Amino acid sequence: MSTAVVSIGRFFRYGNFAIGIALTGLVGLTALVSFFWTPHSAILIDVAAKFRPMSAQHWFGTDHFGRDVFSMIMVGARNSIAVGVVAVSASVTFGTALGLLASARRGWIEELLMRMSDLAFAFPAVLTAIMITALWGPGAINAILAIAIFNVPVFARVTRGAANAIWAREYILAARAAGKGGLRITVEHVLPNILNVLIVQATIQFALAILAEAGLSYLGLGAQPPYPSWGRMLRDAQSYLFEVPEQAIYPGVAIAIAVLGLNLLGDGLRDAFDPRLVRKR
Amino acid sequence: MSAVIVRRLLAFLATLLATSIVVFVVLEVLPGDPAQVMLGVDAEPDAVARLREKLGLERPTTVRYFDWLLGFATGNLGESYTYSVPVLELIVERLAVTVPLALIAMLLTTIIALAAGVFAAAHHNRPGDWGVMLFAQLGIAMPNFWFGILLVLLFAVTLGWFNAGGFPGWEDDALASFQALLLPAVSLAIVQSAILARVTRSSVLDVLREDYVRTARAKGLSKRAALWRHGLRNALIPVVTVMGLQFAFLLSGTIIIENVFYLPGLGRLIFQSISQRDLVVVKDVVMLMVAKVVIINFVIDLLYVVIDPRLRTAR
């Protein structure tokens, strides 16, 4: 099925998609609004106001530096989305290109690329991040790099698998007979027909990237202070678990909402792109 | 069958060798001068020179690489720069925490996921199925370290049944040590079993639609008997694949969880080693963790051949 003709109305018949887009939209909107407005500064320290409970003034209370937790959550959304978008875009670009190349050329190039992706698979994102950090120190860019490196083979494999199925179709044979070369067939026929699969996979990897970023920044390997990140907020909250236990809740809920939203969105997109799957399940 | 195994063995060894080259290049060649990295930019040139000599950095890169590989075969992994003890000793000590943690977590994952997955498949499109799927969806969205913190909040801070973290050591108090691993193992297992339960459910559902299961039902077997006698072996293939991937990645999961619960395992060792810039330890532990992923993938490959006889003749 071609991508463009899937009507919006049909998308919304799927509950997953509707809930997914609502949650993802909420997180996206929060990040967007945080550029213009937050209840308080998410960075300014006011130690005199530390550990304030929930109130009309501080909706989620304040942390050990007296910063407004609600504002930090808002700005943290920006960080999670930025890391996810950049890491996934980079890995989609490289992974898809490699997968398409493997599929178009087959033979030893395919074999080599797939063995390389086996190799990259042996390095979980946390380990890659640790190696990068050992070299260049911690930081948001290094977290992005580690997550992107981990995701490249994911997209390379998915692309190759889907593209191989397309290359076996009759319309490719027809395009060949018409004298089109490998590059032209890839761009005009293969890529448009695997776009659905890639969009679904990218949504799911985006969710995984947000989880990975949270884990890395929890360990202190992600965004550095003073910029708030949900993972590091959890780390800080853990240090004051006995004083302000409720602060270990908010950043976790924020992460879970973002990941749940993207996962549901991915499921919904898959169902919408391929309704046969829905009936089968 | 043996040809398949030999082919997979060769691919496994090649992957292992390639990963070792990557680790070595990233942690020993790319930094330029590892001694300078370890001591920091402000270090005295004399101290850097001494460390360089101690680490044998004057020798050619290839010699150092093969020496390092040989070290893995002989157990001579060098000496930690910060702890001044052999790295092997450090690793063995830490494995006594990480390996039991990973095993308990994997055991819990398997029990929860198989039970929930088969239950959901048996109640397909009924409330039991929806309930399991809802919990699975929530479990997948939760970072395991957050779940760990919530467990600490409930069982340590509020109820006081467990310690918030730490590890007494097997020799000192085996029971308390086991207890110290329970909450971390549960945090790892809940999230993983959510994923595995989904895989199990859809795999069992797929198998139940197969012709041979229908045939078995037609000859009078109950749904349950048909599943157990004919279906489960086939349903297990995707489940085993995902279990293998999960077990392989469990070690990286333990890096975070060990930090949540202050467990002196391999994950905490590698994490402390980065902050102390102890590249010797980082390099060895990273290699060990990566090797584990590769070895488990290889074992899974072999397991396929055992589970599915068709693969014995396949390419």
Side-chain angles (χ1 to χ4, degrees):
Chain A
M1 180 193 304
S2 81
T3 356
V5 287
V6 183
S7 70
I8 304 275
R10 219 186 70 214
F11 270 133
F12 276 102
R13 280 216 301 274
Y14 301 98
N16 281 347
F17 183 83
I19 301 172
I21 201 116
L23 295 180
T24 311
L26 176 70
V27 178
L29 199 68
T30 307
L32 208 63
V33 170
S34 79
F35 279 103
F36 311 103
W37 175 84
T38 52
H40 299 268
S41 163
I43 293 169
L44 274 186
I45 291 173
D46 178 10
V47 183
K50 73 175 182 178
F51 296 146
R52 290 269 163 84
M54 289 169 84
S55 66
Q57 203 193 354
H58 297 288
W59 297 346
F60 288 173
T62 60
D63 74 349
H64 58 295
F65 283 141
R67 291 171 296 191
D68 181 59
V69 173
F70 188 80
S71 307
M72 289 173 76
I73 298 256
M74 285 182 74
V75 178
R78 235 192 269 172
N79 175 60
S80 283
I81 291 178
V83 171
V85 167
V86 178
V88 173
S89 313
S91 47
V92 165
T93 311
F94 283 103
T96 306
L98 291 176
L100 287 173
L101 179 69
S103 179
R105 285 295 165 85
R106 309 301 291 259
W108 67 269
I109 291 187
E110 184 180 28
E111 192 65 22
L112 179 74
L113 286 173
M114 287 308 112
R115 290 291 82 79
M116 276 168 61
S117 88
D118 279 351
L119 180 65
F121 250 148
F123 291 88
V126 178
L127 274 191
T128 311
I130 281 175
M131 292 208 293
I132 294 174
T133 307
L135 280 183
W136 298 313
I141 305 283
N142 295 346
I144 290 173
L145 199 59
I147 296 169
I149 289 175
F150 177 72
N151 275 317
V152 168
V154 174
F155 285 102
R157 278 161 181 244
V158 167
T159 304
R160 169 183 161 266
N164 278 353
I166 301 294
W167 274 97
R169 301 290 273 272
E170 272 152 8
Y171 56 80
I172 299 290
L173 201 65
R176 276 211 179 144
K180 289 188 185 176
L183 180 66
R184 216 173 138 199
I185 293 179
T186 297
V187 174
E188 288 178 11
H189 301 286
V190 179
L191 192 56
N193 280 298
I194 65 168
L195 220 48
N196 291 348
V197 180
L198 288 179
I199 290 172
V200 170
Q201 195 66 40
T203 316
I204 292 167
Q205 296 308 122
F206 194 166
L208 290 176
I210 287 183
L211 275 179
E213 192 280 331
L216 291 177
S217 57
Y218 174 83
L219 288 175
L221 305 179
Q224 294 300 301
Y227 300 102
S229 68
W230 293 341
R232 212 186 45 254
M233 288 175 75
L234 280 174
R235 159 110 276 172
D236 292 342
Q238 200 192 349
S239 312
Y240 301 99
L241 213 48
F242 288 89
E243 288 91 344
V244 274
E246 69 273 14
Q247 293 199 353
I249 311 279
Y250 312 123
V253 171
I255 298 169
I257 286 177
V259 176
L260 182 66
L262 284 163
N263 277 338
L264 289 175
L265 187 61
D267 284 356
L269 283 171
R270 179 166 32 213
D271 293 347
F273 286 140
D274 195 349
R276 279 166 304 178
L277 283 174
V278 182
R279 251 174 277 131
K280 222 180 110 189
R281 269 196 274 150
Chain B
M1 180 172 176
S2 57
V4 176
I5 291 179
V6 169
R7 188 197 296 270
R8 298 215 164 139
L9 186 68
L10 287 178
F12 158 71
L13 290 176
T15 312
L16 207 53
L17 204 65
T19 49
S20 75
I21 293 174
V22 172
V23 173
F24 186 83
V25 167
V26 171
L27 293 174
E28 181 131 354
V29 180
L30 282 188
D33 186 351
Q36 186 80 58
V37 173
M38 288 166 78
L39 293 176
V41 274
D42 308 324
E44 298 283 330
D46 280 2
V48 176
R50 253 178 285 135
L51 182 62
R52 202 180 289 139
E53 199 189 320
K54 193 178 165 209
L55 296 175
L57 294 175
E58 312 296 347
R59 296 169 303 156
T61 313
T62 44
V63 173
R64 269 154 46 205
Y65 170 71
F66 284 109
D67 238 28
W68 179 60
L69 271 197
L70 206 68
F72 271 95
T74 57
N76 177 18
L77 297 180
E79 190 175 276
S80 159
Y81 164 69
T82 35
Y83 298 96
S84 296
V85 290
V87 178
L88 185 71
E89 213 171 276
L90 273 180
I91 288 177
V92 170
E93 196 184 294
R94 304 300 180 107
L95 280 176
V97 176
T98 302
V99 171
L101 173 61
L103 288 177
I104 301 172
M106 205 60 223
L107 186 72
L108 286 174
T109 304
T110 312
I111 295 171
I112 300 171
L114 290 189
V118 173
F119 175 84
H123 294 79
H124 187 212
N125 276 342
R126 276 180 284 160
D129 183 18
W130 301 331
V132 171
M133 285 303 99
L134 180 71
F135 274 106
Q137 196 65 265
L138 292 177
I140 291 170
M142 263 182 136
N144 55 14
F145 61 93
W146 182 47
F147 194 69
I149 295 174
L150 292 182
L151 287 180
V152 170
L153 201 54
L154 178 63
F155 290 105
V157 177
T158 310
L159 298 171
W161 294 354
F162 285 86
N163 285 331
F167 188 77
W170 294 110
E171 295 83 9
D172 290 343
D173 192 342
L175 187 69
S177 301
F178 178 73
Q179 242 182 11
L181 294 183
L182 274 183
L183 290 186
V186 170
S187 344
L188 284 167
I190 289 297
V191 174
Q192 295 216 90
S193 57
I195 299 169
L196 194 60
R198 274 168 61 127
V199 175
T200 308
R201 171 184 174 272
S202 65
S203 177
V204 170
L205 283 179
D206 279 348
V207 165
L208 286 179
R209 282 189 210 98
E210 291 284 345
D211 288 341
Y212 55 81
V213 173
R214 199 170 50 204
T215 309
R217 297 269 284 136
K219 79 171 187 188
L221 285 188
S222 68
K223 199 172 181 178
R224 182 182 300 246
L227 175 67
W228 285 101
R229 250 188 255 173
H230 301 279
L232 217 55
R233 192 180 248 241
N234 288 289
L236 273 182
I237 291 177
V239 176
V240 168
T241 310
V242 175
M243 270 173 70
L245 281 175
Q246 289 191 327
F247 195 54
F249 283 95
L250 206 57
L251 262 194
S252 59
T254 58
I255 295 181
I256 302 184
I257 288 296
E258 283 174 1
N259 276 287
V260 175
F261 290 92
Y262 304 99
L263 296 174
L266 214 52
R268 209 161 155 70
L269 173 67
I270 192 172
F271 189 67
Q272 288 164 336
S273 306
I274 320 174
S275 12
Q276 293 153 344
R277 296 166 169 257
D278 194 339
L279 282 188
V280 183
V281 177
V282 174
K283 192 173 60 182
D284 289 343
V285 179
V286 167
M287 187 60 226
L288 200 72
M289 290 190 162
V290 172
K292 190 189 143 249
V293 177
V294 179
I295 290 170
I296 289 173
N297 284 340
F298 173 62
V299 172
I300 296 298
D301 259 4
L302 292 185
L303 268 184
Y304 288 149
V305 181
V306 176
I307 296 177
D308 191 345
R310 280 170 299 186
L311 293 175
R312 286 175 204 168
T313 46
R315 197 176 74 88

